[in-house]
Amino acid sequence: LDTQKQGDAFVHRGVLRKGALHVGDTLSATVAEEARAAITLNHSATHLMNAALRSVLGEHVLQKGSLVDADRLRFDFSHSAAVSAEELRQIESQVNAEILRNSEVSKEVLPIEKAQEKGAVALFGEKYGDEVRVVSMGGEYSIEFCGGTHVQRTGDIGLFKIVSESGISSGVRRIEAVTGKGALALIEREEDTLKKVCEIVKSNTDDVLDKVQQLASNTKSLEKQLEQLKSKMASSAGSDLASQAEVIAGVNVLAAVVEGFNPKTLRDTADQLKNKLGSSVVVLITAANDKVSIVAGVSKDLIGKVKAGDLANMIAVQVGGKGGGRPDMAMAGGSDVAAIPSAAASIKPWLEERL
């Protein structure tokens, strides 16, 4: 499963499937060639990427951690800001340029002083002996202390593609990438996605970007028109709802369960009804996609007696939710659609006590 150096010993970690082991036993080990080959490509690519990061972002970049397996490589490094798309493109291009150069990868064991004179990059915090193994790629492009497995020539890596860049902690960024067959598989997936998009929008690869932008613009325009229509419908519905208001202690009270409203139109309609009814309390309740939305509006002359936030929350608690807001306007929500009728029925008695 893994090989680690502990002191002067190389420890091989594995699982005993059958039989028994005893101190002094002699074992035969076989390298998992396919997995090792993929790991080798990814590991060598981390060296090239480390050099590219320092070249593009600056010499302040230091390795803070890495993970290399057969499927991908992950590299953590010190940098104070997100790496831009253009910087990522430059890093990827530099690495692939070194791969195309197909230069020999040199591995040599040197006294640590000579390795340092050569400019080899050491991993911060790592302890090194009197002699160290130095891996060089592209002449002086990448020179690092490293005891890991590497390709013979940079061209063996084949192709390098960055998959993602993200922040993992303050001042530390992470890049994940793929090489070789993994990079080819990524390109194939992206090509398949592009072809499917072309089929959906009935376009070819040359014109698909313009077609998608046109569709996005049309969609935005239609959404705007739809919102305007909803607002008009809400205004019309508001006029009809006003006739349902009751008078409690000289105050116009409207409590209604309505359909086809979203939270925005619900609030806009409540505002319109308040303005139309004058001294009033307005409550509108609607349900969509198993979610309850509630708006409560109270004219400013009544907020000394009734707070919209208290009213909205009183209803919301009964439908499995909560809410609040300003004394004159409040929103709330819940998830128990079935409880709406009983919650609506409790509004009038609650207001009668306060008005």
Side-chain angles (χ1 to χ4, degrees):
L1 300 177
D2 196 10
T3 307
Q4 304 247 340
K5 188 175 182 182
Q6 296 187 7
D8 293 328
F10 293 95
V11 178
H12 292 68
R13 188 169 65 88
V15 176
L16 183 68
R17 298 295 186 192
K18 61 180 180 179
L21 285 175
H22 304 92
V23 175
D25 283 355
T26 299
L27 307 177
S28 296
T30 303
V31 171
E33 292 183 12
E34 190 172 338
R36 181 188 176 98
I39 290 168
T40 299
L41 303 188
N42 286 335
H43 186 191
S44 294
T46 62
H47 282 231
L48 292 178
M49 186 172 71
N50 192 10
L53 284 166
R54 293 168 67 85
S55 172
V56 173
L57 302 180
E59 293 296 316
H60 64 278
V61 169
L62 294 173
Q63 180 178 339
K64 292 296 183 181
S66 70
L67 179 146
V68 178
D69 61 25
D71 298 321
R72 61 176 174 142
L73 64 95
R74 190 180 76 199
F75 193 81
D76 301 338
F77 57 97
S78 57
H79 190 55
S80 59
V83 184
S84 70
E86 179 55 33
E87 287 169 334
L88 288 172
R89 187 181 295 276
Q90 290 178 36
I91 292 161
E92 191 175 272
S93 294
Q94 276 201 28
V95 173
N96 281 313
E98 288 300 322
I99 291 171
L100 286 170
R101 284 180 63 190
N102 197 28
S103 60
E104 184 181 355
V105 177
S106 165
K107 304 114 178 173
E108 54 186 339
V109 177
L110 299 172
I112 192 165
E113 295 83 4
K114 283 195 175 182
Q116 290 168 336
E117 288 172 9
K118 194 171 181 178
V121 176
L123 188 61
F124 181 77
E126 190 75 19
K127 293 181 179 179
Y128 297 98
D130 295 333
E131 288 190 329
V132 291
R133 184 169 180 260
V134 177
V135 177
S136 304
M137 301 181 188
E140 295 184 356
Y141 181 76
S142 169
I143 308 173
E144 290 192 38
F145 291 18
C146 187
T149 180
H150 286 283
V151 296
Q152 298 301 310
R153 305 188 74 88
T154 57
D156 297 342
I157 298 169
L159 181 64
F160 171 82
K161 290 292 293 179
I162 292 174
V163 176
S164 66
E165 188 275 344
S166 61
I168 58 169
S169 63
S170 179
V172 180
R173 310 297 299 180
R174 170 174 290 173
I175 284 180
E176 295 197 19
V178 287
T179 64
K181 291 180 180 178
L184 290 173
L186 174 65
I187 291 171
E188 286 174 0
R189 289 196 300 273
E190 290 179 342
E191 283 184 342
D192 287 343
T193 300
L194 180 58
K195 287 176 183 176
K196 288 174 183 175
V197 171
C198 287
E199 289 172 5
I200 291 169
V201 301
K202 295 180 174 58
S203 178
N204 56 48
T205 54
D206 293 331
D207 303 326
V208 67
L209 181 58
D210 289 338
K211 189 66 179 287
V212 169
Q213 287 175 334
Q214 182 184 353
L215 287 169
S217 177
N218 290 343
T219 300
K220 191 173 181 180
S221 176
L222 289 169
E223 286 174 347
K224 188 175 180 179
Q225 291 176 38
L226 182 61
E227 285 302 316
Q228 290 171 345
L229 284 170
K230 284 182 177 178
S231 181
K232 287 180 180 178
M233 289 174 64
S235 179
S236 175
S239 299
D240 295 338
L241 286 168
S243 63
Q244 299 178 26
E246 297 181 47
V247 178
I248 299 176
V251 173
N252 288 316
V253 174
L254 174 63
V257 179
V258 295
E259 294 181 1
F261 285 72
N262 61 36
K264 184 181 183 306
T265 54
L266 201 68
R267 186 174 62 249
D268 292 345
T269 304
D271 265 332
Q272 292 169 12
L273 287 165
K274 269 204 310 171
N275 293 334
K276 188 166 187 174
L277 293 171
S279 181
S280 59
V281 176
V282 176
V283 181
L284 299 178
I285 305 171
T286 191
N289 301 320
D290 296 325
K291 289 184 179 179
V292 182
S293 295
I294 303 158
V295 64
V298 178
S299 57
K300 292 191 183 297
D301 62 310
L302 298 174
I303 57 177
K305 296 179 180 179
V306 176
K307 299 286 191 299
D310 295 341
L311 176 54
N313 193 58
M314 182 276 295
I315 303 164
V317 167
Q318 298 180 66
V319 294
K322 60 181 180 179
R326 305 191 313 269
D328 62 325
M329 181 63 71
M331 299 287 292
S335 56
D336 189 358
V337 176
I340 289 177
S342 60
S346 70
I347 297 170
K348 186 177 176 181
W350 190 89
L351 289 172
E352 285 173 341
E353 286 182 12
R354 286 154 181 81
L355 295 173

